[in-house]
């Protein structure tokens, strides 16, 4: 299938590892040029060199914290120089708290990272995409946006807000031929999950793989984690010309984890 992504330019935030890196690689494999952002500039630059060398595309690293105005401005500046057709808002992270013990600062931090980053980037890329005749914006929310995990209320709530932002934005931007959609992933095995599993099992023998298998058995009918590539495939399709009638929707890649229809 020709996805029509060759020669396009995509921003991916949180692209130095995990799902964001897999999305970047998936797009690069289709010939898409990249602007890749993460806070850790050295790791991002190293991945950009590797991706450019492997896939023959351009890959521009931006060291930026998307939860800040300055970080978003740096990404938009890179897009002004290179042009942009696709934005994947992927940067984000899990939390762990109760409502009673999470201070206001934690709610603010996750609002800035999961919601305001997407708002600011939407404002920044809109004129650039409009000038090119259209574009695509994808939000990486989470299954937790609609089916919460009890131990991370701040994550659940901020991802639900991102999902609503995405739906709302889709109405406003489709007038300019910019398609906005959301992907809700279930359990995706990133290095961060492995690190957490190792920490949680360190005191009890260190069988982190058994811990991860139990998580998969408990939550996902498919009884395994997905790979970052399995999640990325959906983003690449939705970013492509083949998804031209997909607007304002939420798509799941979750091994059956969602318990509703
Ligand atoms: P990782 O922790 O593996 O990677 C996160 C990436 O985001 C890194 O590149 C990190 O680099 C970057 N990042 C984090 N904070 C910021 C910031 N403030 N500004 C810029 N970049 C940032 O995450 P995953 O791949 O697991 O998750 C990616 C997205 O997918 C997240 O939004 C997550 O909520 C969502 N998701 C993940 C699931 C999973 O099971 N893994 C399931 C459902 C959704 P650096 O630290 O250098 O900034």
């Amino acid at each position: 299938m020709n996805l029509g992504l060759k020669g396009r330019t995509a921003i991916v935030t949180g692209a130095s590892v995990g799902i964001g890196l897999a999305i970047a690689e998936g797009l690069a494999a289709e010939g898409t040029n990249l602007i890749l952002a993460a806070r850790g500039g050295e790791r991002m630059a190293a991945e950009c060199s590797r991706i450019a060398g492997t896939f023959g595309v351009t890959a521009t690293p931006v060291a930026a914290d998307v939860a800040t105005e300055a970080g978003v401005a740096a990404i938009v500046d890179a897009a002004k120089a290179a042009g942009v057709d696709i934005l994947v808002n992927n940067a984000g992270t899990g939390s762990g708290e109760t409502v009673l013990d999470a201070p206001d600062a934690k709610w603010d931090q996750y609002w800035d990272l999961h919601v305001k980053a997407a708002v600011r980037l939407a404002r920044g890329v809109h004129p650039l995409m409009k000038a090119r005749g259209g574009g695509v914006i994808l939000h990486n929310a989470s299954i937790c946006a609609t089916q919460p995990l009890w131990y991370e209320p701040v994550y659940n709530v901020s991802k639900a807000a991102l999902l609503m932002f995405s739906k709302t934005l889709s109405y406003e931007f489709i007038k300019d031929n910019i398609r906005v959609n959301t992907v809700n992933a279930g359990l995706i095995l990133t290095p961060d999950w492995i690190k957490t599993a190792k920490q949680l099992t360190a005191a009890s023998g260190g069988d982190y793989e058994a811990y991860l298998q139990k998580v998969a058995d408990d939550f996902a009918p498919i009884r395994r984690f997905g790979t970052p590539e399995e999640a990325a495939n959906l983003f690449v399709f939705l970013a492509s010309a083949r998804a031209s009638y997909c607007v304002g929707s939420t798509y799941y890649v979750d091994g059956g984890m969602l318990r509703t229809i």
Side-chain angles (χ1 to χ4, degrees):
M1 189 189 281
N2 177 6
L3 293 179
L5 285 165
K6 197 172 168 52
R8 300 276 174 190
T9 300
I11 298 169
V12 184
T13 69
S16 60
V17 69
I19 299 170
L21 179 59
I23 295 168
E25 289 176 317
L27 290 169
E30 297 298 323
T32 307
N33 297 312
L34 299 167
I35 299 165
L36 302 182
R39 289 166 303 180
E42 226 169 89
R43 183 166 63 161
M44 194 65 273
E47 290 298 349
C48 278
S49 305
R50 186 183 59 78
I51 289 171
T54 306
F55 298 102
V57 296
T58 65
T60 307
V62 184
D65 181 347
V66 297
T68 66
E69 247 181 290
V72 169
I75 296 167
V76 173
D77 282 348
K80 280 179 186 158
V84 63
D85 305 289
I86 298 156
L87 164 64
V88 183
N89 281 302
N90 167 77
T93 193
S95 64
E97 65 281 312
T98 63
V99 173
L100 287 181
D101 71 26
D104 281 2
K106 182 145 195 170
W107 289 95
D108 293 344
Q109 179 198 338
Y110 278 75
W111 179 257
D112 287 349
L113 174 60
H114 290 156
V115 184
K116 268 173 87 179
V119 175
R120 287 170 169 153
L121 278 163
R123 284 196 301 247
V125 301
H126 176 268
L128 308 176
M129 288 182 176
K130 188 177 175 185
R132 285 157 90 99
V136 176
I137 298 178
L138 300 176
H139 296 106
N140 187 358
S142 165
I143 192 168
C144 293
T146 59
Q147 179 174 283
L149 286 169
W150 65 267
Y151 58 81
E152 47 184 356
V154 177
Y155 182 76
N156 299 330
V157 172
S158 57
K159 287 291 190 172
L162 174 63
L163 185 56
M164 180 54 82
F165 171 69
S166 183
K167 180 67 180 168
T168 307
L169 186 72
S170 72
Y171 290 107
E172 192 171 320
F173 276 25
I174 195 61
K175 294 194 299 279
D176 297 313
N177 195 31
I178 298 167
R179 296 187 296 105
V180 182
N181 288 290
T182 302
V183 172
N184 283 348
L187 303 171
I188 304 299
L189 192 56
T190 55
D192 201 43
W193 263 106
I194 294 171
K195 192 174 95 191
T196 306
K198 283 183 174 168
Q199 284 165 355
L200 290 175
T201 53
S204 57
D207 192 352
Y208 76 92
E209 284 171 324
Y211 169 85
L212 289 169
Q213 187 58 54
K214 178 158 173 28
V215 173
D217 290 346
D218 286 350
F219 289 113
I222 200 171
R223 295 170 78 86
R224 67 172 177 84
F225 276 70
T227 64
E229 292 70 28
E230 285 177 305
N233 288 339
L234 183 53
F235 283 89
V236 172
F237 171 74
L238 289 172
S240 80
R242 298 291 174 184
S244 51
Y245 205 61
C246 297
V247 176
S249 284
T250 304
Y251 300 90
Y252 286 81
V253 52
D254 69 351
M257 186 172 168
L258 185 70
R259 300 287 167 171
T260 58
I261 55 170

